[in-house]
Every structure is written in structure tokens, then in C-alpha cells.
Amino acid sequence: MYVFSKRSKKNLLTCDEKLQMLINEVIKETDCSVICGYRGEEAQEKAFNEGRSRARFGQSKHNDMPSSAVDVVPSPLDWDDLDAFNHLGEMIMSKAKELDIKIKWGKHFKGLVDYPHFELVKDDA
């Protein structure tokens, strides 16, 4: 069984309880890290200005408190290993279905594809 680092735990605690439950189940089966939960104004504007987000502060589900979005990456992290991102993403989507938690995966976004991003759909937010 895998466990989260202190940083991942801290990031996950900023998320909606449904996302916490989901990602805490995923870590039992595969090694991963939570790189972002809640994102404040400065961090959101930086992500927007760097092209890592299409949303300004207040427009992203990361800006909800608790956050309605979470960014999760496979461990060890290799940004070029899309197979690892796909494997983790499929596992998260499958586990969400098991738990009856409705989420969207950033892999399926039009324009800016965001493999680490998972967000609650409105019914669960």
C-alpha cells in the first residue's frame, strides 16, 4: 500500500470531501502525488499567465473553498510519460464510478489538455 507525502496530504486536505475520499482510495492501489488542490488568487493568476490554465482567479474549480478540483500525478513523475498519466487517470475515473462520484478529467478538455486535473461535476460540487 502506498502513502501520500506530507505535501500531498496538505494539498488534498484543501479539496472537497468527495475528492479526498476518491484520491485516498486511489493511493491504496497506485503511487501518486497531489500537486494542487485549492489555488489562491496569486497562484491562479500565475498559472493563467504561464498558460497552464485557461481560467483567471474565480473561474477555476481550484478556486472554490474547499476546492472542487484536484491535480494528481503519477509517482515517480515524468511529465513525458503519457502512459503513466493515462493509467492513473483511468484508475481515478474507475474508482470515481465505483464510489458514485461524478468527475471530469482534464485529459478530455478542448484546447488545453490537462492530464493531472480532475474536477467534480456540478451535481457533486
Side-chain angles (χ1 to χ4, degrees), residues 17-56:
E17 63 185 22
K18 291 178 182 178
L19 289 174
Q20 290 184 46
M21 179 174 56
L22 170 61
I23 303 305
N24 277 319
E25 287 299 311
V26 170
I27 191 67
K28 293 176 183 177
E29 297 178 29
T30 191
D31 200 6
C32 58
S33 298
V34 178
I35 60 170
C36 186
Y38 174 76
R39 190 180 294 145
E41 185 171 2
E42 184 178 331
Q44 184 63 47
E45 290 301 312
K46 182 178 181 196
F48 176 81
N49 291 330
E50 292 176 352
R52 293 182 291 113
S53 176
R54 293 185 301 173
R56 299 208 80 119

